[in-house]
Amino acid sequence: MTTVLKIGGARAVDPAGALADVAELVSQGEDVVVVHGGSTAVDDTLEALGEEPTYVETPGGVVGRFTDERTMEVFEMVLPGKLNTDLTEALQNQGVNAVGLSGVDGKVLSGRRKSAVRVVEDGKKKIKRGDHSGKITDVNADLLETLLAGEYTPVVTVPMLGEEKSGGYTAVNADADRAAAAVAGALDATLVVLTDVPGILEDPEDESTLIETADDPAGLELIEDAAEGFMTKKVMAAKEALSDGADEVVVADANAEEPVLSAVDGGGTHIAASALADDADAEPEAETEQ
């Protein structure tokens, strides 16, 4: 079995327990790919440089980062440069032969670049240009499978390789949850998304309202209705992973005891492929390109 583990970048998330679980799974002969974000660290770095991060709302109501050229430079410094190195180092210290990769390396993550996005400002729809982002449409599964076969553990992060309409490529930002979803789908893996809450809650203020499973369209509808804020993107990523071939998606607490092991053993919220409605009425891409 292959497990794709998404480690979140929220301040409240401590990756130590998850990395210990990765070491345990690898010692048992399991294949693991770690995918991580780091949006919080990017914001902290921007603020340390005296700059403000920019967030925008799409017409679909999804709030996301607008990545201008300067922000992209910071992404390249922080994610593959700092955070990926730190996680790879930590796994090596756990006895895991980890290999750090950005999406640019070996075309691990690629797709078309978005240079303009549709946003809503002051209640009006507008086109905002100068964006450095993209939607992942291709994963180099051969490279990841080659590393796994050689008993290496890939540690993957954005940027992705964005194809320009005029030809050539540019390193651009992509949502880390959706990057993990793309990797899980390409490897027919189980996707475990660790975050700073126990899973998807019917009432975000009440942990006792955890939705434990969704194995039919009604269950998925309940999850979609309950998700709000940052969890909206995680549910979107879960649907994409399952549509692309992932076995199952689990959203669970990064700070739980043995967070990965407990997640695959039934903890958190489990979403099965059978929860996807088999119809053509899926919602369109929330972030559209001009």
Side-chain angles (χ1 to χ4, degrees):
M1 182 184 83
T2 300
T3 300
V4 173
L5 170 64
K6 162 58 171 53
I7 298 178
R11 289 182 179 86
V13 171
D14 181 357
L19 299 182
D21 285 354
V22 170
E24 177 63 25
L25 288 170
V26 170
S27 73
Q28 295 173 8
E30 301 284 352
D31 288 337
V32 181
V33 177
V34 177
V35 180
H36 71 88
S39 191
T40 299
V42 170
D43 285 352
D44 290 345
T45 303
L46 283 168
E47 291 171 9
L49 295 171
E51 302 175 33
E52 289 291 327
T54 301
Y55 286 86
V56 295
E57 181 181 351
T58 72
V62 178
V63 175
R65 179 190 297 276
F66 183 82
T67 309
D68 60 17
E69 185 174 5
R70 177 58 175 157
T71 303
M72 192 64 232
E73 291 175 348
V74 174
F75 257 93
E76 291 174 339
M77 288 189 294
V78 174
L79 270 74
K82 171 64 174 170
L83 299 181
N84 191 272
T85 299
D86 287 350
L87 288 173
T88 303
E89 174 192 64
L91 284 169
Q92 291 286 355
N93 283 322
Q94 294 271 5
V96 177
N97 202 0
V99 177
L101 298 166
S102 82
V104 173
D105 298 316
K107 278 192 180 180
V108 171
L109 305 172
S110 61
R112 284 198 304 165
R113 177 195 172 177
K114 297 178 184 177
S115 59
V117 292
R118 291 187 176 91
V119 302
V120 176
E121 293 182 357
D122 300 323
K124 297 180 180 179
K125 294 181 182 180
K126 300 180 180 179
I127 299 294
K128 194 171 180 67
R129 303 185 185 279
D131 194 33
H132 287 65
S133 68
K135 180 185 178 184
I136 298 164
T137 55
D138 294 290
V139 174
N140 188 345
D142 287 344
L143 175 55
L144 297 175
E145 288 167 349
T146 297
L147 289 170
L148 292 169
E151 299 186 353
Y152 295 97
T153 297
V155 182
V156 180
T157 189
V158 295
M160 61 171 276
L161 199 60
E163 184 177 357
E164 299 281 4
K165 291 180 181 178
S166 58
Y169 299 96
T170 302
V172 297
N173 185 22
D175 180 73
D177 288 316
R178 298 173 83 175
V183 171
L187 297 177
D188 298 330
T190 294
L191 173 60
V192 176
V193 179
L194 294 183
T195 184
D196 58 354
V197 293
I200 300 171
L201 309 174
E202 284 194 67
D203 178 356
E205 304 299 323
D206 185 355
E207 293 187 359
S208 70
T209 64
L210 174 70
I211 302 171
E212 296 183 356
T213 59
D215 53 15
D216 58 26
L220 181 58
E221 184 177 359
L222 177 63
I223 281 176
E224 291 180 300
D225 290 343
E228 58 183 45
F230 72 93
M231 192 61 76
T232 303
K233 278 193 174 182
K234 297 187 187 302
V235 173
M236 184 186 300
K239 291 171 64 177
E240 291 175 359
L242 295 169
S243 295
D244 289 344
D247 288 335
E248 181 182 45
V249 177
V250 187
V251 180
D253 188 353
N255 299 314
E257 186 175 353
E258 298 185 333
V260 184
L261 298 179
S262 63
V264 297
D265 197 35
T269 299
H270 288 243
I271 309 172
S274 56
L276 294 182
D278 188 18
D279 59 35
D281 296 329
E283 293 184 6
E285 171 71 8
E287 295 177 334
T288 53
E289 175 182 350
Q290 189 195 15

